[in-house]
């Protein structure tokens, strides 16, 4: 009896199955991995009924374009409004955005975690969010508003033991997690414990850096965020009308035409916006607490960074424009670095988010904003930008701050202040500076 035919048929069936798998773009290993991850339900379309009726005659492509455009204009208008309300309102908005982004990511994790009916995941997640925010905001208040903290007795006590209190709060949550462990599900619970902490690292840490940038002056908050928004809009516009060449597989709709068009548009936008904002103290001065008025103020003598200066043009540009010099704010030169990062590296935050969503087979993090998805979908690039700006300020901009040193000196005991005074006096005398100062005063 000949067994060659059944064997051949079996081999052909295996080859056909393999080709089908490759055609679908899913390998055997991927199917095994993905089979253990529940698919998160796609949120329903919540486009306002008014827009649905007004745009009912358009194709889905153009309908989405109009919905995104209208909602983008609404969000930009709201952004201008909160800028008008001042830095404290901006700080509260950052906190609200942080909480919403955290909720969207944790909800995805809960969709996986809840299927096993394991306890305390959401409760512990929000508890750890509270602990981390208490630590970071406490550090920020102590650092930037030292005088206010030292003046109020409860705040002074909380400031003195701030890190111990923060560690105690976190340790309590850690013990609660250990007590919540359920037999046969240890691995999943530790996986979700890591999920929460990575989310805290991405969301809370970055929003804390945004607030630090804000206290350096609102221009360090507004220009970087606006550059990311501009790049997102212009990349979408160039990609929508001229896009032909795919940029990256994680985001099939992203194109090289959109990427390049967004880059040059953002550079020009950053230079122009910086020129306008650098002329106003409200935008360039750090946020400080005034002891006399018991209020936060934004008023100072602008630094050299925000003073117009003449710059010689290269010979190539001089021959084209006919100008020998150009008058710019130094901050405009720094804005080129900020807008370049927003255009080149910033989109990788979006690519990272796209990979995350593809891993869980979801289109958006939520459906909070029609046509845009969730809050996290709009701020995925902002977090990389916040870290870059904070590092950029620390590396190239920020110097010693005399006002902070004086605040700390005034908090010392009288004998400690006298000791520092005598040490400083001896140092200045040794350098030969003190007699000159005394003669000038006389």
């Amino acid at each position: 009896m000949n067994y060659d035919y059944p064997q051949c048929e079996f081999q052909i069936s295996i080859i056909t199955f393999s080709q089908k798998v490759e055609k679908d773009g899913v390998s055997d290993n991927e199917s095994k991995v993905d089979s253990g991850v529940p698919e998160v339900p796609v949120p329903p379309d919540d486009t306002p009924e008014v827009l649905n009726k007004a745009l009912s005659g358009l194709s889905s492509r153009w309908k989405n374009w109009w919905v995104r455009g209208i909602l983008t204009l609404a969000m930009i208008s709201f952004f201008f409004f909160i800028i008008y309300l001042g830095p404290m309102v901006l700080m509260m908005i950052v906190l609200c955005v942080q909480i919403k982004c955290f909720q969207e990511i944790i909800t995805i994790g809960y969709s996986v975690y809840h299927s096993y009916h394991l306890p305390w995941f959401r409760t512990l997640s929000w508890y750890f969010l509270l602990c981390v925010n208490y630590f970071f905001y406490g550090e920020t208040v102590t650092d930037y508003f030292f005088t206010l903290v030292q003046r109020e007795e409860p705040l002074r006590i909380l400031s003195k033991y701030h890190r111990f209190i923060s560690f105690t709060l976190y340790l309590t949550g850690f013990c609660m997690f250990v007590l919540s462990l359920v037999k046969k599900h240890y691995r999943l619970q530790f996986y979700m414990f890591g999920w929460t902490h990575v989310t805290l690292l991405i969301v809370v840490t970055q929003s804390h850096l945004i607030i630090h940038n804000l206290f350096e002056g609102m221009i360090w908050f507004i220009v970087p965020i606006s550059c990311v928004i501009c790049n997102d809009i212009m990349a979408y516009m160039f990609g929508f009308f001229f896009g032909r060449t795919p940029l990256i597989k994680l985001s099939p709709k992203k194109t090289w035409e959109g990427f390049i068009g967004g880059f040059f548009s953002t550079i020009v936008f950053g230079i122009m916006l910086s020129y306008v904002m650098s002329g106003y103290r409200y935008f360039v001065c750090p946020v400080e607490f005034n002891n006399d008025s018991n209020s936060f103020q934004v008023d100072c003598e602008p630094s050299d960074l925000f003073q117009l200066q003449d710059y010689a043009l290269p010979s190539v540009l001089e021959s084209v424009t006919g100008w020998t010099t150009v008058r710019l704010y130094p901050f405009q030169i720094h804005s080129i670095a900020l807008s370049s990062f927003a255009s080149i590296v910033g989109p990788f935050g979006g690519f990272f988010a796209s990979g995350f969503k593809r891993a869980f087979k979801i289109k958006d993090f939520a459906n909070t904003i029609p046509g845009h998805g969730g809050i996290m979908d709009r701020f995925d690039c902002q977090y990389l930008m916040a870290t870059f700006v904070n590092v950029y300020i620390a590396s190239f901009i920020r110097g010693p701050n005399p006002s902070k040193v004086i605040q700390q000196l005034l908090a010392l005991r009288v004998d400690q202040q006298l000791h520092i005074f005598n040490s400083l006096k001896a140092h200045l005398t040794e350098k030969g500076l003190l007699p000159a100062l005394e003669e000038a005063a006389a």
Side-chain angles (χ1 to χ4, degrees), residues 134-135 138-139 142 157-170:
Y134 175 81
F135 172 75
E139 293 282 312
T142 303
I157 295 173
L158 288 174
S159 174
K160 183 178 180 179
Y161 302 106
H162 173 68
R163 295 198 174 186
F164 180 78
I165 295 171
S166 300
F167 177 72
T168 303
L169 289 173
Y170 179 82

Side-chain angles (χ1 to χ4, degrees), residues 148-392:
L148 172 64
V149 170
Q150 292 300 314
R151 195 183 63 185
E152 303 292 335
E153 181 66 23
L155 291 178
R156 187 163 64 248
I157 295 173
L158 288 174
S159 174
K160 183 178 180 179
Y161 302 106
H162 173 68
R163 295 198 174 186
F164 180 78
I165 295 171
S166 300
F167 177 72
T168 303
L169 289 173
Y170 179 82
L171 198 60
T172 302
F174 179 83
C175 294
M176 290 170 62
F177 167 74
V178 173
L179 292 174
S180 72
L181 292 174
V182 177
K183 190 177 181 180
K184 295 183 180 180
H185 296 299
Y186 296 146
R187 180 180 296 180
L188 179 64
Q189 288 184 283
F190 278 101
Y191 166 73
M192 297 313 302
F193 184 76
W195 178 292
T196 299
H197 282 67
V198 171
T199 304
L200 291 171
L201 176 66
I202 294 174
V203 176
V204 182
T205 305
Q206 307 304 318
S207 63
H208 171 68
L209 296 179
I210 290 176
I211 291 174
H212 266 240
N213 300 339
L214 173 62
F215 282 126
E216 294 293 329
M218 283 201 290
I219 195 169
W220 291 104
F221 171 84
I222 297 171
V223 169
I225 284 183
S226 300
C227 284
V228 173
I229 294 172
C230 173
N231 182 71
D232 192 37
I233 293 172
M234 297 310 297
Y236 176 76
M237 295 292 286
F238 275 92
F240 186 87
F241 290 106
F242 308 108
R244 296 292 183 273
T245 312
L247 176 64
I248 187 170
K249 290 183 179 180
L250 279 173
S251 297
K253 294 183 180 180
K254 298 288 193 301
T255 63
W256 275 106
E257 291 81 3
F259 184 80
I260 295 170
F263 171 77
F264 287 106
S265 302
T266 306
I267 296 292
V268 174
F269 172 80
I271 293 173
M272 294 173 61
L273 180 64
S274 300
Y275 180 82
V276 173
M277 296 186 66
S278 294
Y280 295 90
R281 295 187 179 188
Y282 180 72
F283 295 122
V284 304
C285 291
V287 180
E288 296 178 344
F289 181 79
N290 190 317
N291 265 329
D292 299 327
S293 61
N294 285 331
S295 62
F296 297 100
Q297 65 176 21
V298 183
D299 188 27
C300 67
E301 187 63 33
S303 65
D304 293 339
L305 201 62
F306 305 105
Q307 302 285 347
L308 283 169
Q309 298 182 21
D310 291 324
Y311 292 91
L313 284 175
S315 56
V316 176
L317 293 178
E318 184 180 340
S319 61
V320 174
T321 62
W323 302 339
T324 57
T325 60
V326 63
R327 204 162 165 76
L328 297 172
Y329 292 102
F331 182 81
Q332 287 181 271
I333 299 175
H334 292 291
S335 74
I336 296 175
L338 300 179
S339 54
S340 297
F341 185 90
S343 304
I344 298 173
V345 183
F348 279 84
F351 301 152
F352 177 85
S354 296
F356 180 89
K357 289 183 285 187
R358 282 180 174 275
F360 289 93
K361 304 179 179 67
I362 55 175
K363 182 177 181 293
D364 297 309
F365 283 95
N367 60 341
T368 309
I369 310 170
H372 292 267
I375 298 295
M376 189 65 198
D377 291 286
R378 291 299 89 211
F379 286 88
D380 47 13
C381 299
Q382 296 288 359
Y383 290 117
L384 280 179
M385 192 71 199
T387 305
F388 174 73
V389 173
N390 192 269
V391 171
Y392 190 88

Side-chain angles (χ1 to χ4, degrees), residues 112-123:
V112 177
Y113 188 83
H114 186 255
S115 61
Y116 292 87
H117 305 289
L118 299 176
W120 295 8
F121 170 58
R122 280 200 297 190
T123 302

Side-chain angles (χ1 to χ4, degrees), residues 15-74:
I15 293 171
T16 305
F17 176 75
S18 300
Q19 289 174 343
K20 182 180 184 302
V21 168
E22 290 177 0
K23 184 178 179 181
D24 292 340
V26 181
S27 67
D28 187 53
N29 290 334
E30 285 180 322
S31 64
K32 287 180 181 179
V33 172
D34 289 345
S35 63
V37 180
E39 184 173 345
V40 180
V42 178
D45 179 25
D46 65 342
T47 305
E49 192 62 30
V50 176
L51 288 178
N52 274 329
K53 289 182 179 179
L55 305 174
S56 58
L58 299 176
S59 64
S60 59
R61 182 169 182 262
W62 279 100
K63 179 182 176 182
N64 183 62
W65 190 89
W66 278 104
V67 171
R68 286 175 66 95
I70 293 170
L71 269 297
T72 297
L73 290 175

